[in-house]
Amino acid sequence: MKLPRFIFLNLFITFLFIGCSTESVGTGEETIEILDPTRNYEELNISYGNDAKQNFDLYLPANRNSNTKTMILVHGGGWTSGDKSSMDYLVDLLQVEIPNLAIVNINYRLADSSNPPYPMQIEDITSIIDFIKDNRAKYSISDKMGFIGTSAGGHLALLWSYAFDTSSNINMVCSIVGPTNFTDPAYLNNTDSNLQELINIYGENPTVSFLEEVSPFHQVTANAPSTILFYGGQDPLVPSSQGIALRDKLVDLNVNHEFTLYPNEGHGWTGLNLLDTWTKLKVFIINNL
């Protein structure tokens, strides 16, 4: 369930010179390390827990300050697989096209028969966001953030933004083919064994109330952050009704949003439609993050 790489990525590849200068600022008994905000900084596999998957990559732009926003990337993989490396193409693209952003590319614990995705993966995202906020002074960044999630990562990004952002830190969220509503008849009444196997990761006989709890469609409110959605009309895993229903609810709630449906695309796309996705997403980030 991961999105294909941008076929035009090679047009944007650049070499980054990473600065590692630091200074320390005393605050009574505590000394805070301050990274040099005039220089780029990159740190990979920062740990935020004891599990091997609880790590993220951090990319800080040069000349950042307390107004510098952070974009968080959330990979797909059906909640049971995948890795942050699948989102590296977006790291490269953002650094070239919107170079004033800080970027956090995350891993999270993967679900299996003994470890359901919820609330485990939401708790991991909370831990990452708390880590970023706790280190704002060190990194010289704002506490304002956005999400880009693909597939299962789109679901997690939407759900965290709608139901768990109690401090209103998220300014915008993007879901690319992310599930939004597990009570959708297209899911509940499906006859596709592959699709059902995917859905069963949230439980083989879950209650309706639980399905609503883990569905962004049922958690969104009028206070939701700006939302941009991309879906394929021929997607065998995430029916277009998932995006359409959420779009309609965002309209009813008067939440700032954009919605694009590619009628002939499936669970991901390439070529001109992919270029269209990035063009729209770039403008949305600049205007809303």
Side-chain angles (χ1 to χ4, degrees), residues 247-258:
R247 175 204 62 189
D248 292 347
K249 192 162 188 178
L250 293 171
V251 170
D252 291 341
L253 293 170
N254 198 31
V255 173
N256 181 46
H257 71 281
E258 291 184 16

Side-chain angles (χ1 to χ4, degrees), residues 40-59:
N40 294 332
Y41 180 82
E42 174 183 312
E43 187 173 358
L44 306 181
N45 297 314
I46 298 173
S47 176
Y48 65 90
N50 296 324
D51 190 272
K53 275 292 187 179
Q54 289 179 302
N55 60 77
F56 65 86
D57 299 338
L58 172 70
Y59 305 85

